[in-house]
Amino acid sequence: MIAAHPFGDPQTVEVAADAGDPAVVHVTWKVGAADDLTLLGIHLGVLPADRVMLDGAITYDDGDAALVQQAPQVEAYLLEHVVVSTAGEQCPGAVAATGDLIAAGADLVFTCPEPPEVATVAVSTLTDLHPAYRTLATGPDGQHQVYGTDAPSHDWSLDLPGAAGGTGAGGAGTSAALQIGGVLGAALLVAVAGTLVARRRRRIPAHPTP
């Protein structure tokens, strides 16, 4: 059994309307940390299963991220685990661009039958590997949501002033701390962050031996 490590930097999602086509919805997904990409790569068969040690720890190399983000399995995985629908009808999706999945993310484009005022976006990335994973999401005009196994879907209002314009680089990532603060409160955030980082450091060596 593969042991996941969901206690570090969270994955993020940004939901946005398209500037030129109101029927198109953009979802930009960014993974939280390099070791999460290693885990995903093992799960998808991009990296060898012997990276998982007997105690459940995962060894990773600096080149893992480049291998995983170039793999076609990742695009198929994202389209399976990020779903956009409107009025109960699923919008066909495609991966428009992928790059550095930590810094830039993958841009998923969904074309709906009609321009949606409200888009239902379901996100289950990495939660199939471990239920403790969370996804911090932002949308137009300051909307936000924390996705998890207990909240896999959310309705986003797109018919808002300033909703159009596509995805902006770093939008979801740069607002992640603000989202956590809004959900947990500043004091609780500090306590939780300290605990999770300490737990991560205990479980994942900084430079593990292959």
Side-chain angles (χ1 to χ4, degrees), residues 89-107:
E89 186 172 353
Q90 186 169 326
C91 306
V95 178
T98 59
D100 184 332
L101 291 178
I102 299 174
D107 182 24

Side-chain angles (χ1 to χ4, degrees), residues 15-176:
V15 178
D18 188 90
D21 188 345
V24 171
V25 178
H26 290 263
V27 179
T28 300
W29 176 81
K30 297 180 184 179
V31 73
D35 60 293
D36 294 326
L37 279 180
T38 297
L39 178 66
L40 181 59
I42 295 170
H43 173 70
L44 297 177
V46 179
L47 299 174
D50 61 10
R51 291 291 195 87
V52 184
M53 303 175 69
L54 293 178
D55 63 356
I58 296 173
T59 61
Y60 62 95
D61 295 329
D62 291 340
D64 286 353
L67 288 174
V68 174
Q69 61 198 21
Q70 294 170 4
Q73 295 95 315
V74 174
E75 293 190 6
Y77 176 85
L78 290 176
L79 290 175
E80 179 182 353
H81 290 275
V82 179
V83 177
V84 175
S85 59
T86 179
E89 186 172 353
Q90 186 169 326
C91 306
V95 178
T98 59
D100 184 332
L101 291 178
I102 299 174
D107 182 24
L108 284 66
V109 178
F110 299 86
T111 303
C112 299
E114 299 290 339
E117 293 185 2
V118 175
T120 300
V121 181
V123 178
S124 59
T125 48
L126 302 185
T127 56
D128 57 329
L129 308 185
H130 196 292
Y133 275 106
R134 294 290 183 268
T135 303
L136 303 182
T138 56
D141 285 11
Q143 297 174 78
H144 63 270
Q145 168 69 4
V146 179
Y147 284 99
T149 54
D150 56 341
S153 182
H154 184 69
D155 292 338
W156 299 88
S157 297
L158 300 181
D159 189 21
L160 296 171
T167 57
T174 54
S175 63

